[in-house]
Amino acid sequence: NGLQFLEKIMRMRPIPVVMVSSLTARGAETSIEALQLGAFDCFPKPAAFAGIDAYAGLVPLVKAAAGSISGRTSSKNSILNNKTSQRRVVSPEVIAIGASTGGVEALGAILPRLPSTFPPVMITQHMPPLFTASLATRLNQMCDITVQEAEDGVPLENGHAYIAPGGTRHLHLKKMGGRLFTSLDEGDPVSGHRPSVDELFRSVAQCSGASSVGVILTGMGRDGAEGLLEMRSAGAYTLGQSAASCVVYGMPKAAMEVGAVERMVPLSSMAEMLISYCKSENGGFV
């Protein structure tokens, strides 16, 4: 079948593959599996009556796939932004992650390595409706932490990751009575997306400031750059995925260019970097 064929392609002769999948639960499950196998991205198949214009979004996706980096490396080197801040907190109370194209693969490389005692993780991954529920289910099966699609008003817990519902609502962090909660907002798209990484990062900057860590992963466009800059300005520690390990070095590059990223890290080292930072006594690295 298609997934078996994709597995063989990615193993024997890797090429960029764009999945066009139906907006059904089964279509979402198939697309998530394909992305974990290494597909470049997925595009939701419009209804039969939608017309040719409904496929307009497929054109830039195919162009991006054609220009994507092949043979990604996992260099151990990381790049420090020379504006490194001196502040550190004892232990972050929340980790915020933003991703787009290639994010399923990246999240699959990070979350399964996190211990069950890890601080709560909030994630905005650009995806269509239904897809994020399937992503959360598959990641939950792989991880020691509990991974779930975010719901409104849920108190954050250690050892849990909350993924913004795809295509419908922004995921925000709120603080009430000294406790942190998820908040979902049906506002307009921001930076061209709903959910938006900028929206998540800005809410974390406002609620947690230096008690947070921001991570921007592979993806097209600029969503997340300005929000991550607000996090860094508020005292948060900020990481970006290195160019060599990205499927698309768009979002991390934009964040680096505006000074939002304190350290660029290869995907293979990202989980260990986060664990090390959270374990250290002074909020730095051990």
Side-chain angles (χ1 to χ4, degrees):
N1 60 31
L3 288 174
Q4 291 170 331
F5 183 57
L6 176 64
E7 188 276 332
K8 290 184 180 296
I9 287 177
M10 301 312 294
R11 177 165 45 86
M12 301 174 67
R13 187 172 295 181
I15 58 171
V17 175
V18 176
M19 294 289 295
V20 181
S21 182
S22 60
L23 269 175
T24 63
R26 178 57 192 154
E29 292 170 6
T30 300
S31 291
I32 296 301
E33 188 172 351
L35 291 169
Q36 289 180 326
L37 287 171
F40 178 80
D41 209 342
C42 56
F43 181 83
K45 184 186 298 182
F49 56 81
I52 193 65
D53 289 345
Y55 284 89
L58 185 58
V59 175
L61 198 57
V62 171
K63 288 183 177 179
S68 65
I69 300 171
S70 60
R72 296 188 300 278
T73 67
S74 56
S75 168
K76 294 296 182 182
N77 296 325
S78 61
I79 302 172
L80 274 172
N81 187 307
N82 58 14
K83 296 180 182 178
T84 300
S85 170
Q86 298 303 310
R87 59 82 202 95
R88 285 296 176 263
V89 298
V90 173
S91 181
E93 60 184 5
V94 64
I95 314 296
I97 299 177
S100 186
T101 304
V104 170
E105 182 181 355
L107 292 172
I110 296 171
L111 298 188
R113 300 183 185 179
L114 303 181
S116 60
T117 55
F118 200 73
V121 180
M122 301 180 73
I123 301 166
T124 290
Q125 161 73 53
H126 296 160
M127 291 194 112
L130 298 180
F131 283 50
T132 44
S134 294
L135 174 61
T137 298
R138 291 185 67 88
L139 286 172
N140 189 56
Q141 295 168 350
M142 301 163 58
C143 298
D144 288 335
I145 64 173
T146 299
V147 184
Q148 61 195 80
E149 190 175 51
E151 297 178 3
D152 190 47
V154 175
L156 266 60
E157 299 180 56
N158 286 349
H160 284 66
Y162 309 86
I163 302 179
T168 57
R169 291 176 286 180
H170 298 296
L171 175 61
H172 292 156
L173 178 66
K174 285 197 172 180
K175 182 174 283 189
M176 295 180 289
R179 292 203 64 184
L180 298 175
F181 294 82
T182 60
S183 175
L184 297 179
D185 177 15
E186 296 181 354
D188 294 333
V190 174
S191 302
H193 297 278
R194 187 176 58 200
S196 165
V197 179
D198 272 328
E199 284 287 291
L200 171 61
F201 286 168
R202 283 171 179 147
S203 70
V204 173
Q206 293 166 7
C207 289
S208 289
S211 299
S212 64
V213 176
V215 181
I216 192 159
L217 301 175
T218 173
M220 292 188 291
R222 300 185 55 85
D223 187 26
E226 297 301 328
L228 193 66
L229 181 59
E230 290 188 27
M231 285 188 66
R232 190 175 186 193
S233 298
Y237 192 75
T238 58
L239 302 174
Q241 185 177 344
S242 66
S245 64
C246 282
V247 172
V248 179
Y249 186 54
M251 288 164 50
K253 179 182 179 182
M256 188 71 174
E257 288 174 344
V258 299
V261 176
E262 189 162 331
R263 184 185 293 258
M264 280 292 187
V265 182
L267 180 60
S268 59
S269 302
M270 188 68 77
E272 287 70 22
M273 188 74 71
L274 291 171
I275 293 169
S276 174
Y277 180 76
C278 292
K279 278 184 176 179
S280 62
E281 293 181 359
N282 65 350
F285 293 106
V286 295

